[in-house]
Amino acid sequence: MRFSATTLEQYRLYETESYVSYSDLIATLQRRVTVTRPMQVGMSFEDAVNSEQEMVPGETVTVDGITFDCEAVLAARNIVPLQSAQQPKVVREMCGHDIVGKADYLHGTNVHDLKATSRPIEMAKYIDSLQWRVYLWAFNAKKFVYDVAYLSEKKGVYYARQVEVIEYYRYPGMELEIERWVRALSDFVEENTEEINNEKTSTTAV
């Protein structure tokens, strides 16, 4: 089977948090993911950050119908490694399964992920995530960096209220921890194959 870091994290949330339901996880495994407004804001913000368009303080920029304060884009550009490889993808084998990772930026041995959030940044929120663990392992990286921007909307324009850099590093036993989750997800897929295949034959997310 083939699992993405995102799918592994969704499975972890299903097992540990009440807000991810069984149907949510099944939808992820079927690749039936609905793009919500916060998700669209995040994707459009990343496109604005990565674009070559000049950002003029005091002005705004619109991407896919979503308008951002140029200073919010500039704040993110100040922390992400724009000159690095963007959207690099890696596939590695673990427990007989292909594990897929797609980073926002790869800078030397450092992996960066740009996130836009609609709530004040809580650094503790990210510490349990499998995403940074899987990416450190998959890319054989030394450091994983969340570049996080808290965006809020006012009169149709998104402004950056807070920007933070959150760093994580490899640690002893990390790979074994990932393996446990991969085996558990594999068991879940095998036990729920009929349900997963109800609407789509694929049992993976890439």
Side-chain angles (χ1 to χ4, degrees):
M1 285 181 278
R2 186 180 180 96
F3 300 125
S4 70
T6 301
T7 302
L8 283 164
E9 173 59 6
Q10 185 78 342
Y11 175 67
R12 184 192 71 82
L13 292 173
Y14 165 73
E15 291 288 359
T16 60
E17 303 289 344
S18 61
Y19 63 84
V20 175
S21 67
Y22 175 81
S23 60
D24 290 334
L25 179 58
I26 295 298
T28 296
L29 290 165
Q30 294 173 329
R31 302 187 189 180
R32 294 189 296 108
V33 179
T34 301
V35 177
T36 62
R37 175 68 176 184
M39 290 170 63
Q40 185 59 60
V41 170
M43 290 187 291
S44 297
F45 184 65
E46 184 174 336
D47 286 343
V49 172
N50 291 334
S51 75
E52 296 182 359
Q53 183 173 345
E54 181 182 2
M55 298 295 157
V56 181
E59 296 187 5
T60 62
V61 60
T62 300
V63 179
D64 298 327
I66 299 176
T67 303
F68 302 97
D69 171 38
C70 284
E71 292 187 40
V73 177
L74 289 170
R77 285 181 176 179
N78 284 336
I79 60 173
V80 299
L82 289 174
Q83 303 305 315
S84 304
Q86 295 184 16
Q87 300 293 322
K89 185 176 181 179
V90 66
V91 180
R92 287 190 65 183
E93 188 274 337
M94 175 176 276
C95 305
H97 306 294
D98 286 337
I99 310 301
V100 183
K102 187 177 181 182
D104 287 338
Y105 312 94
L106 182 62
H107 183 61
T109 58
N110 299 335
V111 177
H112 286 250
D113 187 67
L114 175 61
K115 287 190 177 297
T117 176
S118 59
R119 298 180 180 180
I121 299 169
E122 299 178 19
M123 295 191 181
K125 169 186 175 181
Y126 301 97
I127 194 168
D128 292 327
S129 176
L130 276 177
Q131 182 191 27
W132 63 265
R133 292 171 167 86
V134 171
Y135 279 26
L136 281 173
W137 166 76
F139 284 95
N140 197 26
K142 291 184 177 180
K143 181 169 68 174
F144 181 96
V145 184
Y146 284 116
D147 300 307
V148 190
Y150 162 38
L151 304 178
S152 67
E153 184 182 11
K154 182 177 181 181
K155 296 181 179 180
V157 179
Y158 284 89
Y159 296 86
R161 304 302 183 188
Q162 181 185 8
V163 175
E164 298 287 352
V165 173
I166 306 171
E167 301 177 345
Y168 292 106
Y169 298 84
R170 304 171 72 94
Y171 59 88
M174 185 185 74
E175 186 170 341
L176 290 175
E177 188 175 348
I178 299 170
E179 284 184 8
R180 286 195 293 271
W181 284 108
V182 170
R183 293 182 189 280
L185 177 55
S186 175
D187 290 344
F188 177 90
V189 169
E190 291 182 1
E191 293 167 4
N192 294 273
T193 297
E194 183 176 354
E195 182 68 22
I196 294 168
N197 290 343
N198 273 344
E199 296 189 26
K200 188 165 184 177
T201 57
S202 172
T203 59
T204 64
V206 296

